[in-house]
Amino acid sequence: MLRLLWWLNTALALTLFVAGFTAHFRFGFGRLPGPPEIESAPILANVIAGNPFAPDTDLYPLVLAGAFVQAVAFAVLGLFLFRRKSGDAMGVIVSWLLISIGLGFNPTIVYLPLLSPAWHLPVTLFQAGLFVSAFLFLCLFPDGRFFPAWSRHAALAWLGYALLWPFFPQLNPHRATTVWPALAFATVITLGIIFQVVRYRRLSGPDERRGAKWVVAGFTVANSALVGITMLSASPTITVPIAVLILLSLAPVLIPVTIAIAIQRRNLWDVGSLVRKTLVYGLLTSVLAGIYYAGVVALQNLLAATTGRREPIAIILTTLLIAALFQPVRDRLQRAVNRLMFGERDDPYAV
């Protein structure tokens, strides 16, 4: 049954991903529509699309490109895990979560029901599966058993809440125009983190603890960023440096990254090479996209202050900077990931 649900979820995710790109192609890959085309756009959807960061800069195509690379990276890792471990319930759940996060936090899917209302129901069902699987993962990782025992009741309650989303879209964190659904999800994830800490202290052995540390760290940082970005986006009078907003918006990427590290640290399923490549190129995309994003905005604001208008030269200069940084950043990330995975063994000469 779990494998069947995995197949249905993966097929739905890929279908929505393609449909989202098709809808964006019809509309145009520039900035998203504003009122009256989309009235009262959802808070988290605007964050994912980058709208609060640079409202006067056409950076949405860059957001789509970065989201596409990250989606491919984590979807490939999820598919590979399913191929290796489809007979293990925990392996299927981890694969489900990686694919769902990789595709589900993508603006092409998030904005699809707003661009094409006919997709409301399938998108909502997919998003319900995404948010439920995140909490279920925290209840079950790493051995596939609920601990503490009453966590299964919490998971059922969260599932029941998510099943209301097709009928009440405002309950869905990705569709809500208020902060409360996002904060409700943050509360549930906090509860899941507590479950992981309790398991760590009472049940886990040395191998499980090595993986649990990373899972707890990734979810804690991402969850804290979710709360922060939700409150800041709901308070337009508060001015926050763009670099801070970019870092907060990239925080959800830490969840699949730390899950991948936990898999490697516990030496699960013999996927070390693929995990390392996913970490390196997933992080590389995030870092370079953030630099490009901040660079374009900073240069355009600087040129606007001196010349009185926004100059396309800002995009050209930032693109050249990214081209120059690509190889050095990739090499540094590769060394950092290798040290993370193997410790001193990665550099026998230094040892």
Side-chain angles (χ1 to χ4, degrees):
M1 179 61 71
L2 187 59
R3 284 196 295 269
L4 175 61
L5 290 174
W6 182 93
W7 279 107
L8 293 174
N9 178 75
T10 302
L12 178 60
L14 295 175
T15 301
L16 295 176
F17 192 68
V18 173
F21 263 92
T22 303
H24 278 72
F25 179 78
R26 270 201 318 272
F27 185 81
F29 284 99
R31 286 184 54 77
L32 284 169
E37 292 92 343
I38 292 181
E39 296 182 1
S40 189
I43 291 176
L44 290 188
N46 269 332
V47 171
I48 292 172
N51 288 353
F53 306 148
D56 299 323
T57 307
D58 296 335
L59 293 179
Y60 188 56
L62 172 65
V63 175
L64 284 178
F68 178 80
V69 174
Q70 290 177 6
V72 170
F74 293 114
V76 167
L77 179 57
L79 291 169
F80 189 82
L81 284 178
F82 182 79
R83 181 171 175 266
R84 284 291 185 91
K85 208 64 178 175
S86 62
D88 181 277
M90 196 65 234
V92 175
I93 291 173
V94 172
S95 172
W96 181 318
L97 184 60
L98 289 171
I99 293 171
S100 296
I101 289 180
L103 298 176
F105 281 92
N106 192 295
T108 57
I109 290 182
V110 172
Y111 267 93
L112 177 57
L114 301 178
L115 297 175
S116 300
W119 289 97
H120 160 69
L121 181 60
V123 169
T124 303
L125 291 175
F126 171 71
Q127 290 172 338
L130 162 61
F131 287 104
V132 169
S133 65
F135 182 56
L136 191 63
F137 171 82
L138 290 172
C139 293
L140 296 174
F141 186 82
D143 59 7
R145 293 182 296 166
F146 284 99
F147 188 86
W150 63 271
S151 62
R152 70 177 70 244
H153 303 301
L156 287 174
W158 180 240
L159 174 62
Y161 176 79
L163 291 177
L164 296 175
W165 295 356
F167 310 102
F168 305 98
Q170 280 292 320
L171 297 178
N172 181 351
H174 275 172
R175 298 291 298 279
T177 54
T178 62
V179 300
W180 306 113
L183 294 180
F185 174 63
T187 302
V188 168
I189 293 300
T190 301
L191 182 61
I193 293 170
I194 293 173
F195 291 159
Q196 280 291 308
V197 173
V198 171
R199 183 191 295 266
Y200 179 91
R201 293 174 62 89
R202 297 185 182 178
L203 191 67
S204 298
D207 289 341
E208 287 80 6
R209 290 188 174 193
R210 280 196 293 270
K213 289 178 182 177
W214 286 101
V215 168
V216 169
F219 272 91
T220 300
V221 174
N223 200 44
S224 301
L226 170 63
V227 174
I229 202 74
T230 300
M231 301 306 294
L232 291 173
S233 299
S235 304
T237 57
I238 300 177
T239 302
V240 181
I242 186 171
V244 175
L245 290 171
I246 291 173
L247 289 174
L248 289 174
S249 68
L250 292 174
V253 178
L254 287 176
I255 294 177
V257 167
T258 51
I259 289 175
I261 294 173
I263 290 171
Q264 175 70 20
R265 281 299 178 97
R266 291 192 65 223
N267 200 24
L268 294 176
W269 309 323
D270 192 26
V271 292
S273 176
L274 184 62
V275 167
R276 288 196 301 277
K277 290 178 182 178
T278 301
L279 287 176
V280 169
Y281 289 101
L283 291 171
L284 179 65
T285 301
S286 300
V287 170
L288 294 183
I291 294 173
Y292 185 88
Y293 210 78
V296 169
V297 174
L299 282 176
Q300 285 199 348
N301 289 337
L302 178 62
L303 293 173
T306 55
T307 65
R309 64 180 187 277
R310 296 184 180 275
E311 301 285 353
I313 188 67
I315 296 177
I316 298 174
L317 292 176
T318 310
T319 302
L320 292 175
L321 174 64
I322 293 300
L325 288 177
F326 178 87
Q327 190 63 35
V329 173
R330 194 203 74 85
D331 290 342
R332 285 181 176 272
L333 286 174
Q334 182 71 66
R335 289 196 296 270
V337 169
N338 285 347
R339 284 198 303 271
L340 196 64
M341 297 295 186
F342 305 114
E344 292 181 334
R345 288 185 293 134
D346 181 59
D347 192 355
Y349 179 79
V351 173

